[in-house]
Amino acid sequence: MSLFDGLRFRNVSSTIHKFDPRAKFIYVCTLFVMAVLFNQLIPLLILFFSQIPLVILAKVKKEWVRLIRGSIFFATLIFVMNVLSLYFYGGHRSLASIIEYSSAMTFRFIVLVESFSIFFLTTSPDMLGLSLEQMGVPYEFCFAFTTAIRFVPVLAEEAQTIIDAQRARGLEFDRGSFIKKIRNYVPILIPLIVNAIRRSLELAEAMESRAWGAVKKRTNLYTLKMSRRDYAFISISIFMLAVSICVRLFVPIPNLIQA
């Protein structure tokens, strides 16, 4: 469950935490576009290592490392599937080029996970919902989105607790055939679903007790305002995107096997 733990907000006093959520969201979107633009390993490695200073400034190194460890399984799966598909259906490509291309696709996934990790680790769900509301998104959608962000890590923790409890009762998850392993997770899914339904009912009762939706025009205690620092961060993100587009269109990017 370390993958979900690396996406939970950490209330730390840092420079990255003080940025406006809208500025960080634009940064994530530009990084997403830059990662999709390239299918070579060299630029994706540059994108990966360029985000490490942000992780250090945000003071979330432990959570970031935990997230990268949690995503190793999916990264390995992406690498293996690309190698197999290109080896059998990719024509007459060499094994070295297949491995390099598969590594590039794997690092593309890691770069996307890394960027979203920085965003969610440094952005409070309350501030994120407030920024969406100020951007004109209906409050119902903002509330649903922020609630999902809050409860996904909570459900992950509950799932880990249930797994530990079932193991303490002697349930073994790693033995038996593939069908047997799937059946072993039924005692985890049923309590998890029951707890999720119970939590949703408690949330609904809390919303009704606070007269949620009684007033159509809501007011907020805080109002987000973009500062010069936020505009500078947005400008840097857009500049990086423009440079990436120019490099993709006009600069030939060498492969490592040819370097």
Side-chain angles (χ1 to χ4, degrees):
M1 300 303 172
S2 57
L3 182 63
F4 296 103
D5 192 56
L7 297 173
R8 178 185 295 183
F9 170 67
R10 294 294 184 272
N11 190 9
V12 182
S13 177
S14 70
T15 304
I16 308 301
H17 282 75
K18 296 177 182 177
F19 281 122
D20 191 279
R22 293 165 288 185
K24 288 185 282 188
F25 183 73
I26 292 175
Y27 165 76
V28 171
C29 292
T30 55
L31 203 70
F32 177 85
V33 175
M34 287 188 288
V36 173
L37 280 175
F38 300 102
N39 55 8
Q40 295 87 0
L41 184 58
I42 293 177
L44 291 170
L45 285 173
I46 294 173
L47 289 176
F48 173 77
F49 288 108
S50 64
Q51 296 185 81
I52 295 180
L54 294 179
V55 175
I56 297 174
L57 288 175
K59 302 177 182 179
V60 290
K61 296 185 292 298
K62 293 181 180 180
E63 292 78 11
W64 178 78
V65 172
R66 195 176 296 123
L67 176 70
I68 297 300
R69 288 178 180 174
S71 60
I72 287 177
F73 171 77
F74 297 100
T76 305
L77 182 63
I78 292 172
F79 178 79
V80 172
M81 294 302 296
N82 276 277
V83 169
L84 293 177
S85 60
L86 290 174
Y87 184 78
F88 291 105
Y89 305 104
H92 301 284
R93 304 181 63 172
S94 63
L95 182 60
S97 63
I98 290 175
I99 292 176
E100 181 177 354
Y101 182 81
S102 302
S103 301
M105 296 300 100
T106 304
F107 265 95
R108 175 185 288 178
F109 166 75
I110 294 176
V111 167
L112 296 177
V113 170
E114 182 184 33
S115 60
F116 280 100
S117 172
I118 295 173
F119 178 76
F120 286 111
L121 283 172
T122 61
T123 306
S124 169
D126 294 331
M127 295 296 105
L128 178 58
L130 181 58
S131 63
L132 292 175
E133 190 175 353
Q134 291 185 192
M135 292 170 62
V137 180
Y139 177 72
E140 290 79 8
F141 295 101
C142 298
F143 180 80
F145 181 66
T146 54
T147 303
I149 294 175
R150 288 177 182 275
F151 281 102
V152 166
V154 173
L155 291 177
E157 278 191 2
E158 289 185 353
Q160 187 61 49
T161 302
I162 295 171
I163 290 174
D164 295 338
Q166 297 291 10
R167 282 177 175 170
R169 291 175 173 85
L171 181 61
E172 298 179 350
F173 298 97
D174 301 328
R175 291 190 177 182
S177 61
F178 180 74
I179 303 299
K180 178 65 175 177
K181 291 179 181 179
I182 294 177
R183 290 178 179 176
N184 288 338
Y185 281 91
V186 174
I188 298 174
L189 293 177
I190 293 177
L192 187 62
I193 293 173
V194 171
N195 288 340
I197 295 174
R198 185 181 302 167
R199 190 179 297 275
S200 64
L201 293 175
E202 293 176 355
L203 178 61
E205 292 176 357
M207 292 167 61
E208 289 181 359
S209 64
R210 289 168 174 80
W212 192 87
V215 179
K216 293 184 178 181
K217 188 176 181 180
R218 302 179 71 258
T219 58
N220 295 296
L221 180 61
Y222 303 102
T223 302
L224 295 177
K225 294 182 180 180
M226 301 278 284
S227 61
R228 294 181 180 179
R229 174 179 52 196
D230 299 316
Y231 287 114
F233 190 61
I234 293 173
S235 302
I236 294 173
S237 301
I238 296 175
F239 176 75
M240 291 171 56
L241 178 61
V243 170
S244 300
I245 293 175
C246 293
V247 170
R248 180 68 177 85
L249 294 176
F250 304 109
V251 178
I253 302 174
N255 295 322
L256 291 179
I257 60 172
Q258 298 175 355

